[in-house]
Amino acid sequence: MVLIFVELDNGSIKKTSLEAVAYGAAVAKATGTTATALAIGTADAAELAKAGTYGATKVLHANAAELANENAMAYASVLAAAVKNENAEVVILPKSGLCDAMGARAAAKLGASIVSGVTELPDVSNGFKVTRSIYTGKAFATVDVKGTVKILGIKKNAIEAVEGTGSATVEAFTPALNNGDFVAKVTGQEKASGELSLTEADIIVSGGRGMKGPDNWQPLLDLASALGAATGCSKPVSDLDWRPHHEHIGQTGIKVAPNLYIACGISGAIQHLAGVNSSKVIVAINKDPEAPFFKAADYGIVGDVFDILPRLTKAVKDAK
Amino acid sequence: MKILVCITNVPDTTAKISFTDNNTKLNKAGVQYIIGPYDDYALARAVELKEQQGGSITVLNVGEAESDPQIRKALAIGADDAVRVNAEPTDSYFTATQIAAIAKEGGYDLILMGRESIDFNSGVVHGLVGEMLGIPSFSPVMKLDIEGATAKFAREIEGGKEFLEAPLPLVLGCQEPIAEWKIPNMRGIMTARTKPLKVVEPVAVGDMATLDQYTLPAPKGACKMIPADQAETLISLLKTEAKVL
């Protein structure tokens, strides 16, 4: 049995989690078994049943009041209980901070193999071989996963998730909770509201030092808004506090994998490219024709971002 | 306070990656090695905490003798002693088992490491170690203070941060801006030479995941340049040619 953890965001299953369900269903099909999804937190049954249209036949829903806050330790205990309950041999998690943390603790509880950053479906013809991203996207490693239970963290776009016509039954899942998982006290939260998540976004518009200062971001924000895109930035920009730290994309920031990445006034240092090289299509806009980003981009424009960005925004609006 | 800082020995962020031996080994020729950048933040914060509150810092690496220059650098930055588990870190579970074995003996109040290594980018070792030791683990931690037996810290979450308090002992995966990287001074470099570095053999772990082979991404095609005065055509190309709009 394949068990897939789906992450909820305000009661909705995240897009990367629906991809994970599609991935888990494909693994189940290849190994002649079924796929069950596990959701933790508040969501209504109709939303959870969506996992059925991506190939799960059952959804376990753990919704104890104590689980309302994202708590990786408690979530790991629930996941491990579900693995045991359902006799799961393969566990699929989308790649995220929460999933890495809970997957790791669940792996140690179960003595399971854990492989994170998986980019393709496994080859089950001889063993259980998966390909994962390493060196921050500069290379791949194919590994033979040996554990009786195999936990895989899959990267965005590891599979094209296509909605089908299947359906899933939703069952309440109420494992015993451990007090030890609740020793930490959450004392506060700072969260930008209404922002598109960088790891979920299909389009990202990102700015670098070429934007020349925190007050010049409007043309970039306008293009992002016209495209329905999330916004990111380079490391120097977040170091200078022009943009908040959670927008920093790169080797030591967030690694993204959108369908379209538009880099505005970012030179393309190797550390930045490491965070974006999983993007499907990259556009670089820079006034320096020698900017290294043009070597990594699919489309390039040499020019002044303050001239180009408003014109692109207008072109997007005109095309609608 | 006893702090254990786990460091990785990894190729520099600017290193060009290639493979040898039928794509089963990293080509180390010309590759400069560094302390993992996230581990370096963890080490820097540990040194600051020790300066504030006293205590000791042990640095731990799972790696072969080629890690020694990076371990000496960590000692020069401010760790008091070091342990190297003499094994190639092949898999997260293997590495975490080694760290947990050392941590169990030492009775540390705080176990710090980077949020992930920059070679395998798994980001799971802190969680594995925490569970193996039966203590809490959190990541990625971007701010950390210790008050008595309580850690007060901030964790990056999607779109912001969360502030937490938890009793020691803890395992934390760290990232910027928890502290500024520290550069060893001459006195540090001199004293690091004589600080103890103990080499121990690994504990046995069954194979959890073994390498089949490495591959490099397919080479990127040429960048299609669009003249600045026709910038608008980009939008139609993204629609009709790249099909991403």
Side-chain angles (χ1 to χ4, degrees):
Chain A
M1 214 276 299
V2 178
L3 182 71
I4 306 114
F5 173 70
V6 295
E7 257 188 286
L8 299 174
D9 182 22
N10 282 323
S12 300
I13 301 179
K14 285 190 179 182
K15 214 178 115 219
T16 42
S17 288
L18 291 173
E19 272 180 26
V21 174
Y23 184 102
V27 175
K29 199 174 168 198
T31 53
T33 179
T34 56
T36 296
L38 168 69
I40 305 178
T42 310
D44 61 37
E47 174 65 20
L48 295 175
K50 232 195 228 173
T53 60
Y54 288 85
T57 50
K58 185 160 86 173
V59 181
L60 298 176
H61 185 206
N63 192 19
E66 296 91 326
L67 299 170
N69 271 337
E70 274 184 14
N71 174 334
M73 286 187 285
Y75 282 27
S77 297
V78 174
L79 178 63
V83 168
K84 283 186 190 152
N85 234 31
E86 303 288 313
N87 284 322
E89 283 148 351
V90 179
V91 180
I92 308 297
L93 298 122
K95 172 98 181 149
S96 77
L98 171 70
C99 291
D100 285 347
M102 64 185 280
R105 292 196 72 109
K109 284 177 200 288
L110 298 162
S113 291
I114 180 161
V115 180
S116 181
V118 173
T119 56
E120 289 171 22
L121 282 170
D123 173 1
V124 294
S125 60
N126 176 21
F128 192 100
K129 288 177 184 168
V130 296
T131 298
R132 58 179 302 208
S133 168
I134 56 169
Y135 296 106
T136 325
K138 288 185 203 169
F140 300 96
T142 303
V143 294
D144 201 351
V145 191
K146 308 264 178 155
T148 322
V149 177
K150 302 166 177 69
I151 301 181
L152 308 182
I154 64 157
K155 279 189 85 165
K156 187 169 186 275
N157 291 335
I159 188 170
E160 192 146 349
V162 183
E163 197 166 358
T165 53
S167 66
T169 54
V170 179
E171 288 175 17
F173 183 58
T174 52
L177 303 175
N178 312 322
N179 289 336
D181 291 336
F182 298 91
V183 292
K185 198 166 71 186
V186 177
T187 55
Q189 209 182 63
E190 275 172 23
K191 201 169 174 178
S193 60
E195 261 182 33
L196 266 175
S197 141
L198 277 171
T199 47
E200 293 272 305
D202 283 329
I203 306 176
I204 294 171
V205 185
S206 193
R209 252 183 311 194
M211 296 298 294
K212 293 185 181 151
D215 302 331
N216 299 334
W217 238 258
Q218 200 55 49
L220 189 155
L221 299 177
D222 290 342
L223 177 61
S225 147
L227 289 167
T231 57
C233 68
S234 66
K235 184 171 192 299
V237 164
S238 87
D239 283 351
L240 290 162
D241 271 336
W242 291 1
R243 299 296 297 171
H245 186 267
H246 67 255
E247 280 198 5
H248 163 203
I249 295 171
Q251 177 123 33
T252 56
I254 297 171
K255 286 87 176 170
V256 296
N259 293 332
L260 174 60
Y261 187 81
I262 303 179
C264 311
I266 304 178
S267 65
I270 195 161
Q271 293 92 338
H272 184 76
L273 296 181
V276 305
N277 54 16
S278 302
S279 308
K280 271 191 197 153
V281 172
I282 294 177
V283 174
I285 305 168
N286 205 296
K287 68 175 187 325
D288 175 8
E290 303 297 320
F293 225 134
F294 291 121
K295 291 202 174 66
D298 302 280
Y299 297 95
I301 302 176
V302 177
D304 177 5
V305 285
F306 299 108
D307 164 46
I308 308 282
L309 286 175
R311 287 167 52 206
L312 292 180
T313 306
K314 185 168 181 299
V316 172
K317 286 182 176 161
D318 289 349
K320 270 182 185 166
Chain B
M1 184 166 52
K2 283 187 78 177
I3 307 176
L4 181 68
V5 179
C6 308
I7 63 167
T8 53
N9 175 45
V10 289
D12 181 22
T13 52
T14 58
K16 195 168 158 30
I17 300 299
S18 64
F19 302 103
T20 61
D21 290 32
N22 265 334
N23 288 319
T24 58
K25 287 208 160 57
L26 179 72
N27 179 5
K28 293 179 180 173
V31 172
Q32 172 109 28
Y33 277 76
I34 56 169
I35 297 174
Y38 296 112
D39 311 328
D40 225 350
Y41 287 118
L43 175 64
R45 189 61 192 147
V47 170
E48 290 171 358
L49 289 171
K50 184 188 146 186
E51 279 166 5
Q52 283 172 15
Q53 327 203 342
S56 66
I57 301 172
T58 298
V59 59
L60 169 61
N61 169 260
V62 180
E64 293 172 317
E66 62 194 17
S67 292
D68 287 350
Q70 275 60 254
I71 297 173
R72 288 286 172 206
K73 187 181 172 199
L75 291 167
I77 288 171
D80 300 283
D81 60 355
V83 180
R84 178 166 64 79
V85 178
N86 189 30
E88 194 192 340
T90 47
D91 164 63
S92 306
Y93 204 98
F94 174 86
T95 306
T97 307
Q98 307 309 325
I99 295 171
I102 300 294
K104 254 179 213 153
E105 283 172 32
Y108 298 96
D109 302 299
L110 203 50
I111 300 171
L112 303 181
M113 62 186 80
R115 60 174 281 173
E116 66 186 51
S117 69
I118 63 159
D119 50 3
F120 285 83
N121 312 102
S122 296
V124 298
V125 169
H126 30 75
L128 285 164
V129 170
E131 186 66 37
M132 286 170 182
L133 295 172
I135 60 175
S137 57
F138 297 91
S139 178
V141 172
M142 53 198 300
K143 185 175 184 303
L144 170 65
D145 288 296
I146 305 294
E147 286 178 21
T150 304
K152 297 188 171 186
F153 56 101
R155 192 172 73 88
E156 188 160 77
I157 55 172
E158 239 170 54
K161 48 192 153 182
E162 180 180 71
F163 300 90
L164 296 131
E165 284 181 23
L168 302 177
L170 287 178
V171 183
L172 303 177
C174 304
Q175 71 166 35
E176 65 185 356
I178 195 165
E180 297 264 338
W181 283 332
K182 298 202 182 314
I183 298 161
N185 59 28
M186 193 43 91
R187 193 175 163 269
I189 293 167
M190 299 301 285
T191 55
R193 290 182 188 165
T194 54
K195 285 179 178 172
L197 192 175
K198 190 166 83 174
V199 178
V200 300
E201 290 307 310
V203 294
V205 183
D207 275 344
M208 296 299 254
T210 53
L211 179 79
D212 202 34
Q213 64 162 351
Y214 294 118
T215 43
L216 290 170
K220 193 96 187 167
C223 179
K224 192 172 214 171
M225 297 308 289
I226 297 158
D229 56 7
Q230 296 161 35
E232 289 82 358
T233 58
L234 171 70
I235 302 304
S236 49
L237 284 170
L238 291 175
K239 268 203 166 95
T240 55
E241 190 179 80
K243 297 188 169 51
V244 289
L245 286 186

mmCIF file of all heavy atoms in Angstrom, chain A residues 176-208:
data_model
loop_
_atom_site.group_PDB
_atom_site.id
_atom_site.type_symbol
_atom_site.label_atom_id
_atom_site.label_comp_id
_atom_site.label_asym_id
_atom_site.label_seq_id
_atom_site.Cartn_x
_atom_site.Cartn_y
_atom_site.Cartn_z
ATOM 1 N N ALA A 176 -3.733 7.570 19.001
ATOM 2 C CA ALA A 176 -3.385 8.166 20.294
ATOM 3 C C ALA A 176 -2.269 9.181 20.072
ATOM 4 O O ALA A 176 -1.353 8.943 19.272
ATOM 5 C CB ALA A 176 -2.924 7.076 21.252
ATOM 6 N N LEU A 177 -2.339 10.341 20.723
ATOM 7 C CA LEU A 177 -1.300 11.364 20.582
ATOM 8 C C LEU A 177 -0.337 11.264 21.762
ATOM 9 O O LEU A 177 -0.729 10.881 22.860
ATOM 10 C CB LEU A 177 -1.947 12.752 20.517
ATOM 11 C CG LEU A 177 -2.977 12.955 19.395
ATOM 12 C CD1 LEU A 177 -3.633 14.330 19.501
ATOM 13 C CD2 LEU A 177 -2.344 12.781 18.017
ATOM 14 N N ASN A 178 0.952 11.630 21.515
ATOM 15 C CA ASN A 178 1.958 11.582 22.580
ATOM 16 C C ASN A 178 2.167 12.974 23.153
ATOM 17 O O ASN A 178 2.447 13.910 22.407
ATOM 18 C CB ASN A 178 3.327 11.137 22.042
ATOM 19 C CG ASN A 178 3.215 9.914 21.183
ATOM 20 O OD1 ASN A 178 2.436 9.018 21.476
ATOM 21 N ND2 ASN A 178 3.981 9.881 20.102
ATOM 22 N N ASN A 179 2.110 13.081 24.481
ATOM 23 C CA ASN A 179 2.355 14.375 25.122
ATOM 24 C C ASN A 179 3.717 14.946 24.747
ATOM 25 O O ASN A 179 3.886 16.150 24.626
ATOM 26 C CB ASN A 179 2.270 14.236 26.650
ATOM 27 C CG ASN A 179 0.833 14.021 27.082
ATOM 28 O OD1 ASN A 179 -0.091 14.397 26.365
ATOM 29 N ND2 ASN A 179 0.649 13.392 28.241
ATOM 30 N N GLY A 180 4.687 14.050 24.590
ATOM 31 C CA GLY A 180 6.059 14.474 24.285
ATOM 32 C C GLY A 180 6.168 15.278 22.996
ATOM 33 O O GLY A 180 7.133 16.010 22.798
ATOM 34 N N ASP A 181 5.177 15.139 22.111
ATOM 35 C CA ASP A 181 5.216 15.874 20.836
ATOM 36 C C ASP A 181 4.760 17.322 20.993
ATOM 37 O O ASP A 181 4.813 18.094 20.050
ATOM 38 C CB ASP A 181 4.309 15.187 19.808
ATOM 39 C CG ASP A 181 4.859 13.835 19.380
ATOM 40 O OD1 ASP A 181 6.089 13.639 19.487
ATOM 41 O OD2 ASP A 181 4.067 12.980 18.953
ATOM 42 N N PHE A 182 4.264 17.667 22.194
ATOM 43 C CA PHE A 182 3.675 18.998 22.373
ATOM 44 C C PHE A 182 4.425 19.838 23.401
ATOM 45 O O PHE A 182 3.851 20.690 24.052
ATOM 46 C CB PHE A 182 2.193 18.868 22.765
ATOM 47 C CG PHE A 182 1.368 18.191 21.696
ATOM 48 C CD1 PHE A 182 1.181 16.807 21.709
ATOM 49 C CD2 PHE A 182 0.811 18.928 20.662
ATOM 50 C CE1 PHE A 182 0.440 16.175 20.715
ATOM 51 C CE2 PHE A 182 0.074 18.300 19.658
ATOM 52 C CZ PHE A 182 -0.115 16.930 19.683
ATOM 53 N N VAL A 183 5.752 19.574 23.576
ATOM 54 C CA VAL A 183 6.518 20.297 24.594
ATOM 55 C C VAL A 183 6.824 21.734 24.175
ATOM 56 O O VAL A 183 7.075 22.585 25.020
ATOM 57 C CB VAL A 183 7.844 19.581 24.952
ATOM 58 C CG1 VAL A 183 7.555 18.280 25.672
ATOM 59 C CG2 VAL A 183 8.703 19.369 23.725
ATOM 60 N N ALA A 184 6.819 21.996 22.861
ATOM 61 C CA ALA A 184 7.142 23.357 22.412
ATOM 62 C C ALA A 184 5.894 24.220 22.455
ATOM 63 O O ALA A 184 4.800 23.758 22.163
ATOM 64 C CB ALA A 184 7.708 23.333 21.010
ATOM 65 N N LYS A 185 6.099 25.480 22.862
ATOM 66 C CA LYS A 185 4.987 26.416 22.946
ATOM 67 C C LYS A 185 5.164 27.433 21.829
ATOM 68 O O LYS A 185 6.237 28.035 21.691
ATOM 69 C CB LYS A 185 5.070 27.101 24.325
ATOM 70 C CG LYS A 185 3.795 27.762 24.770
ATOM 71 C CD LYS A 185 3.868 28.094 26.260
ATOM 72 C CE LYS A 185 4.841 29.224 26.508
ATOM 73 N NZ LYS A 185 5.106 29.555 27.887
ATOM 74 N N VAL A 186 4.139 27.607 20.998
ATOM 75 C CA VAL A 186 4.205 28.640 19.964
ATOM 76 C C VAL A 186 3.842 29.966 20.614
ATOM 77 O O VAL A 186 2.763 30.120 21.166
ATOM 78 C CB VAL A 186 3.242 28.331 18.798
ATOM 79 C CG1 VAL A 186 3.269 29.448 17.756
ATOM 80 C CG2 VAL A 186 3.584 26.989 18.161
ATOM 81 N N THR A 187 4.784 30.935 20.588
ATOM 82 C CA THR A 187 4.547 32.199 21.299
ATOM 83 C C THR A 187 4.175 33.324 20.350
ATOM 84 O O THR A 187 3.828 34.407 20.793
ATOM 85 C CB THR A 187 5.794 32.602 22.114
ATOM 86 O OG1 THR A 187 6.911 32.653 21.215
ATOM 87 C CG2 THR A 187 6.073 31.611 23.220
ATOM 88 N N GLY A 188 4.266 33.086 19.053
ATOM 89 C CA GLY A 188 3.881 34.141 18.112
ATOM 90 C C GLY A 188 4.119 33.722 16.678
ATOM 91 O O GLY A 188 4.771 32.707 16.416
ATOM 92 N N GLN A 189 3.547 34.494 15.778
ATOM 93 C CA GLN A 189 3.727 34.202 14.362
ATOM 94 C C GLN A 189 3.705 35.512 13.583
ATOM 95 O O GLN A 189 2.930 36.399 13.901
ATOM 96 C CB GLN A 189 2.591 33.288 13.894
ATOM 97 C CG GLN A 189 2.994 32.379 12.758
ATOM 98 C CD GLN A 189 1.838 31.506 12.280
ATOM 99 O OE1 GLN A 189 0.843 31.996 11.801
ATOM 100 N NE2 GLN A 189 2.001 30.199 12.400
ATOM 101 N N GLU A 190 4.595 35.632 12.612
ATOM 102 C CA GLU A 190 4.556 36.762 11.688
ATOM 103 C C GLU A 190 4.377 36.162 10.325
ATOM 104 O O GLU A 190 5.228 35.405 9.864
ATOM 105 C CB GLU A 190 5.905 37.502 11.687
ATOM 106 C CG GLU A 190 6.069 38.534 12.764
ATOM 107 C CD GLU A 190 7.491 39.076 12.796
ATOM 108 O OE1 GLU A 190 8.207 39.008 11.776
ATOM 109 O OE2 GLU A 190 7.877 39.548 13.871
ATOM 110 N N LYS A 191 3.261 36.469 9.685
ATOM 111 C CA LYS A 191 3.035 35.851 8.383
ATOM 112 C C LYS A 191 2.434 36.875 7.445
ATOM 113 O O LYS A 191 1.473 37.544 7.792
ATOM 114 C CB LYS A 191 2.101 34.648 8.553
ATOM 115 C CG LYS A 191 2.202 33.666 7.411
ATOM 116 C CD LYS A 191 1.479 32.368 7.705
ATOM 117 C CE LYS A 191 1.503 31.490 6.472
ATOM 118 N NZ LYS A 191 0.880 30.220 6.663
ATOM 119 N N ALA A 192 3.044 37.007 6.268
ATOM 120 C CA ALA A 192 2.492 37.902 5.260
ATOM 121 C C ALA A 192 1.175 37.291 4.795
ATOM 122 O O ALA A 192 1.126 36.099 4.497
ATOM 123 C CB ALA A 192 3.468 38.029 4.110
ATOM 124 N N SER A 193 0.111 38.072 4.772
ATOM 125 C CA SER A 193 -1.180 37.484 4.414
ATOM 126 C C SER A 193 -1.459 37.706 2.931
ATOM 127 O O SER A 193 -1.003 38.676 2.331
ATOM 128 C CB SER A 193 -2.288 38.102 5.263
ATOM 129 O OG SER A 193 -2.317 39.487 5.036
ATOM 130 N N GLY A 194 -2.180 36.773 2.356
ATOM 131 C CA GLY A 194 -2.617 36.914 0.977
ATOM 132 C C GLY A 194 -1.520 36.769 -0.058
ATOM 133 O O GLY A 194 -1.732 37.000 -1.232
ATOM 134 N N GLU A 195 -0.304 36.401 0.386
ATOM 135 C CA GLU A 195 0.777 36.229 -0.572
ATOM 136 C C GLU A 195 0.736 34.844 -1.184
ATOM 137 O O GLU A 195 0.410 33.881 -0.507
ATOM 138 C CB GLU A 195 2.120 36.386 0.141
ATOM 139 C CG GLU A 195 2.733 37.734 -0.030
ATOM 140 C CD GLU A 195 4.086 37.811 0.658
ATOM 141 O OE1 GLU A 195 4.807 36.803 0.711
ATOM 142 O OE2 GLU A 195 4.397 38.900 1.155
ATOM 143 N N LEU A 196 1.087 34.767 -2.468
ATOM 144 C CA LEU A 196 1.214 33.460 -3.098
ATOM 145 C C LEU A 196 2.477 32.794 -2.562
ATOM 146 O O LEU A 196 3.499 33.441 -2.403
ATOM 147 C CB LEU A 196 1.377 33.637 -4.605
ATOM 148 C CG LEU A 196 0.127 33.558 -5.453
ATOM 149 C CD1 LEU A 196 0.483 33.887 -6.896
ATOM 150 C CD2 LEU A 196 -0.467 32.160 -5.388
ATOM 151 N N SER A 197 2.395 31.497 -2.287
ATOM 152 C CA SER A 197 3.569 30.797 -1.782
ATOM 153 C C SER A 197 4.560 30.536 -2.917
ATOM 154 O O SER A 197 4.190 30.101 -4.004
ATOM 155 C CB SER A 197 3.111 29.496 -1.142
ATOM 156 O OG SER A 197 4.000 28.470 -1.438
ATOM 157 N N LEU A 198 5.849 30.819 -2.642
ATOM 158 C CA LEU A 198 6.874 30.645 -3.677
ATOM 159 C C LEU A 198 7.016 29.195 -4.106
ATOM 160 O O LEU A 198 7.268 28.904 -5.273
ATOM 161 C CB LEU A 198 8.226 31.151 -3.154
ATOM 162 C CG LEU A 198 8.467 32.654 -3.253
ATOM 163 C CD1 LEU A 198 9.729 33.023 -2.504
ATOM 164 C CD2 LEU A 198 8.578 33.074 -4.703
ATOM 165 N N THR A 199 6.885 28.271 -3.156
ATOM 166 C CA THR A 199 7.095 26.866 -3.506
ATOM 167 C C THR A 199 5.903 26.285 -4.271
ATOM 168 O O THR A 199 6.029 25.265 -4.927
ATOM 169 C CB THR A 199 7.364 26.013 -2.255
ATOM 170 O OG1 THR A 199 6.391 26.359 -1.268
ATOM 171 C CG2 THR A 199 8.744 26.269 -1.699
ATOM 172 N N GLU A 200 4.744 26.954 -4.188
ATOM 173 C CA GLU A 200 3.554 26.460 -4.881
ATOM 174 C C GLU A 200 3.349 27.164 -6.225
ATOM 175 O O GLU A 200 2.633 26.659 -7.085
ATOM 176 C CB GLU A 200 2.309 26.726 -4.016
ATOM 177 C CG GLU A 200 2.254 25.940 -2.731
ATOM 178 C CD GLU A 200 1.597 24.589 -2.921
ATOM 179 O OE1 GLU A 200 0.474 24.532 -3.408
ATOM 180 O OE2 GLU A 200 2.243 23.575 -2.593
ATOM 181 N N ALA A 201 3.953 28.351 -6.374
ATOM 182 C CA ALA A 201 3.627 29.219 -7.511
ATOM 183 C C ALA A 201 4.050 28.617 -8.852
ATOM 184 O O ALA A 201 5.100 27.998 -8.961
ATOM 185 C CB ALA A 201 4.298 30.570 -7.320
ATOM 186 N N ASP A 202 3.209 28.831 -9.879
ATOM 187 C CA ASP A 202 3.556 28.409 -11.229
ATOM 188 C C ASP A 202 4.406 29.460 -11.939
ATOM 189 O O ASP A 202 5.129 29.157 -12.872
ATOM 190 C CB ASP A 202 2.281 28.154 -12.049
ATOM 191 C CG ASP A 202 1.638 26.827 -11.670
ATOM 192 O OD1 ASP A 202 2.395 25.909 -11.292
ATOM 193 O OD2 ASP A 202 0.413 26.722 -11.738
ATOM 194 N N ILE A 203 4.255 30.709 -11.516
ATOM 195 C CA ILE A 203 5.050 31.786 -12.114
ATOM 196 C C ILE A 203 5.667 32.606 -10.983
ATOM 197 O O ILE A 203 5.014 32.900 -9.987
ATOM 198 C CB ILE A 203 4.187 32.717 -12.999
ATOM 199 C CG1 ILE A 203 3.419 31.910 -14.053
ATOM 200 C CG2 ILE A 203 5.044 33.795 -13.664
ATOM 201 C CD1 ILE A 203 2.466 32.737 -14.903
ATOM 202 N N ILE A 204 6.951 32.942 -11.124
ATOM 203 C CA ILE A 204 7.631 33.778 -10.134
ATOM 204 C C ILE A 204 8.325 34.927 -10.856
ATOM 205 O O ILE A 204 9.007 34.710 -11.865
ATOM 206 C CB ILE A 204 8.663 32.958 -9.320
ATOM 207 C CG1 ILE A 204 7.932 31.908 -8.471
ATOM 208 C CG2 ILE A 204 9.508 33.874 -8.427
ATOM 209 C CD1 ILE A 204 8.851 30.907 -7.808
ATOM 210 N N VAL A 205 8.131 36.141 -10.359
ATOM 211 C CA VAL A 205 8.886 37.289 -10.841
ATOM 212 C C VAL A 205 9.812 37.701 -9.707
ATOM 213 O O VAL A 205 9.377 37.887 -8.573
ATOM 214 C CB VAL A 205 7.959 38.464 -11.228
ATOM 215 C CG1 VAL A 205 8.784 39.599 -11.831
ATOM 216 C CG2 VAL A 205 6.883 38.014 -12.204
ATOM 217 N N SER A 206 11.101 37.802 -10.015
ATOM 218 C CA SER A 206 12.100 37.954 -8.972
ATOM 219 C C SER A 206 13.021 39.124 -9.299
ATOM 220 O O SER A 206 13.330 39.364 -10.467
ATOM 221 C CB SER A 206 12.886 36.644 -8.909
ATOM 222 O OG SER A 206 13.660 36.564 -7.767
ATOM 223 N N GLY A 207 13.423 39.853 -8.277
ATOM 224 C CA GLY A 207 14.263 41.026 -8.510
ATOM 225 C C GLY A 207 15.603 40.953 -7.815
ATOM 226 O O GLY A 207 15.732 40.356 -6.745
ATOM 227 N N GLY A 208 16.610 41.609 -8.409
ATOM 228 C CA GLY A 208 17.951 41.640 -7.841
ATOM 229 C C GLY A 208 18.395 43.072 -7.591
ATOM 230 O O GLY A 208 17.578 43.996 -7.599
#
